[in-house]
Amino acid sequence: WLKKQLGERVQKVQVGDRLVDSPATLVQGEWGMSPMMQRYMKSQTTSSASDSAFAIGSRNQAILEITPSHAVIKQLKSAMETAPDADETE
């Protein structure tokens, strides 16, 4: 459900156990570029269409890792299950 809501902003959403106090974190995929490298590559591209496509595609490498035991994630899950079409859920 979260992946569908976030669309192309993240590569995937997965459950993680590395966080204790935070509900979620963004991590880079195994072959993804770091945010610093993404900024560098974006600054080096020209205005041609193929370069713009590369810049857009290279930004979508982040993985959203959620902590299912966190209160925020529990509330989000509860809201999605009780009223999936409500404005608050979107």
Side-chain angles (χ1 to χ4, degrees):
W1 172 80
L2 269 175
K3 170 61 178 148
K4 182 179 147 191
Q5 293 297 319
L6 295 172
E8 294 296 318
R9 294 183 207 142
V10 295
Q11 181 182 5
K12 65 181 176 177
V13 177
Q14 65 186 23
V15 174
D17 60 356
R18 74 173 95 192
L19 298 175
V20 177
D21 296 327
S22 299
T25 186
L26 282 175
V27 294
Q28 290 300 314
E30 186 176 350
W31 304 105
M33 282 191 278
S34 69
M36 183 65 115
M37 187 62 171
Q38 290 176 23
R39 286 191 293 274
Y40 174 76
M41 294 299 286
K42 186 177 179 182
S43 71
Q44 297 300 314
T45 59
T46 60
S47 61
S48 72
S50 63
D51 291 336
S52 296
F54 169 76
I56 291 169
S58 66
R59 281 186 276 139
N60 299 325
Q61 301 299 319
I63 297 170
L64 180 65
E65 194 171 286
I66 61 170
T67 307
S69 59
H70 195 278
V72 170
I73 301 299
K74 287 180 180 179
Q75 276 186 318
L76 192 59
K77 182 179 184 236
S78 174
M80 190 274 305
E81 289 173 343
T82 56
D85 297 327
D87 289 336
E88 295 82 19
T89 313
E90 303 232 348

